[in-house]
Amino acid sequence: MRSALRRTFLRRPSTLAERNFVADALRTETVGGALLLIAAVVALIWANSGWSNSYEDLKNYHLGPESLHLNLSLGSWASDGLLAVFFFVAGIELKRELVVGELRSPSAAALPVIAAVCGMAMPALFYFAVNAGGDNLDGWAIPTATDIAFALAVLAVIGTNLPSALRAFLLTLAVVDDLLAILVIAVFYTDQVKFWALGVAVAGLVVFYLLQRYRVRGWWFYVPLALVIWVLVHESGVHATVAGVAMGLLMRVLPDKDEEASPAEHLEHVVRPISAGIAVPVFALFSAGVAVSATALGDVFTHRMPLGIVLGLVLGKAIGIFGGTYLAARFTRAELNEDLAWADVLGLAMLAGVGFTVSLLISELAFDTDPGMTDQAKAAVLTGSLLAALGAAVLLRIRNNRYRALIDAEDRDDDGDGIPDIYQEDARRAHDAKLKQAPKGFGGTSGD
């Protein structure tokens, strides 16, 4: 009776369509992560070369209409504009998870949500513990974010595969993490708010929702409206990336009978490659260029602020996600997938310590009046992300043979019908279980 009441934690996606969606989404993020790594390396080399002045000149080059208060530097356009595209995709992902994904059921949502919350709270606690009594507490949110693209790029580089159950959990964890990160930015890194601009932006979001609600099609309606909403949110003083996630959450994710794909699914296929392949790498190019020297690296481990970031990413993330997941599984009577082990959860928790994109963004927001502190925080983000990636790589690589066997089993199609046999077996078991639960004598013999 006890085992019957338990549900499986880290189970593979229940349908083939869900499995394919996760695989496609992470495949795009992996390619984007490779471009992200390249952009970060280029930025570091450029900023530490004899042409470092040209890097700073390009980053600080201003353009845009002054009348709209949009005469911004290229670095600001990357963080405020291009990252809005990144968060738009994150908003669509979250909406999809809430409607048809892992977050649609409160019981299923409990584990990834608790894991994400603990995975943000524990790094912040590490940061506060190291910086207690100091003047740099504004940086507490820097180590709380996870960069799934960078993390997947690390897995691709070391040749580690993840079975669908781990990939789905990682994607869901990252989606919740992105939402929490944008909430942190909106609440804690907004100094002054122009309520008239924010109010008009909200009105624009209502129009956006109504266009979706009444099935209005045509990019010529949505693109101008999206630009207006973004400009208004930027003018309001709230970070402009909030506009992206808000519009993503308003997208319709369920297709109508006459639609092959929902607007959210269609737009995600269009925008995700732009986000992963252009927006995030360009942001990295303008943000990752910090001066690196033996002295600077030494400062990371001897100054409290950067040390808090490194410890938060390397230890805080791992302890928070693993501990939160373990305790939540015990209290919700969830049973770990028999094909996996808690070491796999620890590997994912360590991988989540790769906090590149959003951590760099928060570094700029937390110390916007002190470029020296910003660069020190960014150096800590790069160092902590690298250490977390190396630790996760070692642990996940050890389990790689097991992962490869699970993936082979998931892909096996002995009858050649294009549907993996394991999903057909699941369907048969579900059908047999349904028949056993049906009252005897109903729609058949009484069994006498």
Side-chain angles (χ1 to χ4, degrees):
M1 184 66 177
R2 176 181 173 84
S3 60
L5 292 175
R6 288 184 175 271
R7 61 182 181 80
T8 303
F9 164 54
L10 281 184
R11 66 186 185 279
R12 65 176 174 275
S14 57
T15 65
L16 182 60
E18 180 69 14
R19 177 177 182 259
N20 290 340
F21 169 82
V22 172
D24 290 342
L26 296 186
R27 189 177 300 113
T28 303
E29 294 292 347
T30 302
V31 174
L35 296 175
L36 175 64
L37 281 173
I38 293 171
V41 171
V42 169
L44 284 170
I45 294 174
W46 192 356
N48 289 275
S49 70
W51 297 281
S52 58
N53 288 336
S54 64
Y55 176 81
E56 293 297 327
D57 290 342
L58 179 63
K59 178 181 177 180
N60 295 317
Y61 181 78
H62 281 64
L63 56 83
E66 183 65 48
S67 59
L68 296 177
H69 300 162
L70 291 176
N71 185 235
L72 308 176
S73 68
L74 290 179
S76 295
W77 277 112
S79 62
D80 292 3
L82 291 179
L83 282 194
V85 178
F86 166 79
F87 277 108
F88 174 71
V89 174
I92 292 178
E93 290 175 338
L94 179 63
K95 179 67 174 292
R96 185 185 181 281
E97 291 290 330
L98 289 169
V99 176
V100 297
E102 285 294 307
L103 302 180
R104 69 185 183 277
S105 165
S107 59
L111 280 168
V113 169
I114 291 173
V117 171
C118 292
M120 295 189 77
M122 191 60 68
L125 291 177
F126 267 84
Y127 185 90
F128 280 125
V130 174
N131 288 275
D135 299 325
N136 302 315
L137 296 182
D138 287 344
W140 66 269
I142 296 173
T144 62
T146 295
D147 191 319
I148 187 172
F150 207 131
L152 291 171
V154 171
L155 294 183
V157 168
I158 65 173
T160 298
N161 301 295
L162 290 180
S164 59
L166 293 178
R167 284 180 286 167
F169 182 71
L170 181 61
L171 180 61
T172 304
L173 185 68
V175 168
V176 178
D177 189 284
D178 285 339
L179 174 66
L180 295 175
I182 202 69
L183 289 175
V184 166
I185 291 172
V187 174
F188 295 100
Y189 295 100
T190 299
D191 295 328
Q192 295 180 341
V193 178
K194 295 181 181 178
F195 288 100
W196 71 265
L198 188 60
V200 179
V202 171
L205 290 171
V206 172
V207 174
F208 190 97
Y209 166 76
L210 292 175
L211 290 176
Q212 286 285 296
R213 175 72 175 80
Y214 291 103
R215 276 44 178 183
V216 176
R217 295 181 173 89
W219 65 266
W220 47 88
F221 291 109
Y222 291 97
V223 172
L225 179 60
L227 291 174
V228 170
I229 292 171
W230 179 87
V231 170
L232 287 166
V233 173
H234 184 275
E235 177 66 17
S236 73
V238 176
H239 200 271
T241 50
V242 174
V245 76
M247 286 184 279
L249 285 169
L250 294 177
M251 292 297 298
R252 180 165 58 86
V253 297
L254 293 177
D256 292 334
K257 292 181 179 179
D258 62 338
E259 294 177 325
E260 292 185 2
S262 68
E265 184 179 358
H266 172 72
L267 199 55
E268 186 177 15
H269 281 300
V270 174
V271 178
R272 183 187 287 277
I274 298 173
S275 170
I278 298 176
V280 175
V282 171
F283 169 76
L285 180 65
F286 285 116
S287 295
V290 296
V292 177
S293 64
T295 301
L297 291 177
D299 289 345
V300 168
F301 296 100
T302 56
H303 288 59
R304 291 201 293 175
M305 185 275 289
L307 180 60
I309 294 173
V310 172
L311 292 179
L313 289 171
V314 178
L315 298 179
K317 272 288 185 181
I319 294 172
I321 292 176
F322 180 82
T325 303
Y326 183 84
L327 292 175
R330 289 294 176 258
F331 282 112
T332 59
R333 303 178 66 82
E335 194 169 52
L336 183 66
N337 186 339
E338 62 182 9
D339 294 328
L340 299 171
W342 282 106
D344 301 315
V345 181
L346 179 59
L348 286 187
M350 295 174 67
L351 189 64
V354 178
F356 192 79
T357 304
V358 179
S359 292
L360 292 177
L361 173 61
I362 298 177
S363 297
E364 296 178 354
L365 298 176
F367 304 112
D368 58 339
T369 60
D370 190 337
M373 293 292 290
T374 300
D375 285 349
Q376 201 174 64
K378 288 182 176 181
V381 169
L382 296 174
T383 303
S385 296
L386 178 61
L387 293 175
L390 290 175
V394 171
L395 186 54
L396 294 176
R397 185 66 184 172
I398 292 173
R399 297 277 294 167
N400 199 44
N401 289 336
R402 178 58 178 164
Y403 298 156
R404 188 178 293 112
L406 291 174
I407 292 173
D408 290 342
E410 291 177 3
D411 292 338
R412 192 177 69 247
D413 182 20
D414 292 338
D415 54 12
D417 62 353
I419 302 175
D421 297 339
I422 199 166
Y423 281 94
Q424 294 174 323
E425 293 169 4
D426 287 347
R428 282 194 293 269
R429 282 195 293 267
H431 178 70
D432 292 344
K434 187 175 181 180
L435 290 178
K436 289 180 181 179
Q437 292 175 359
K440 292 183 178 180
F442 183 76
T445 60
S446 63
D448 291 338

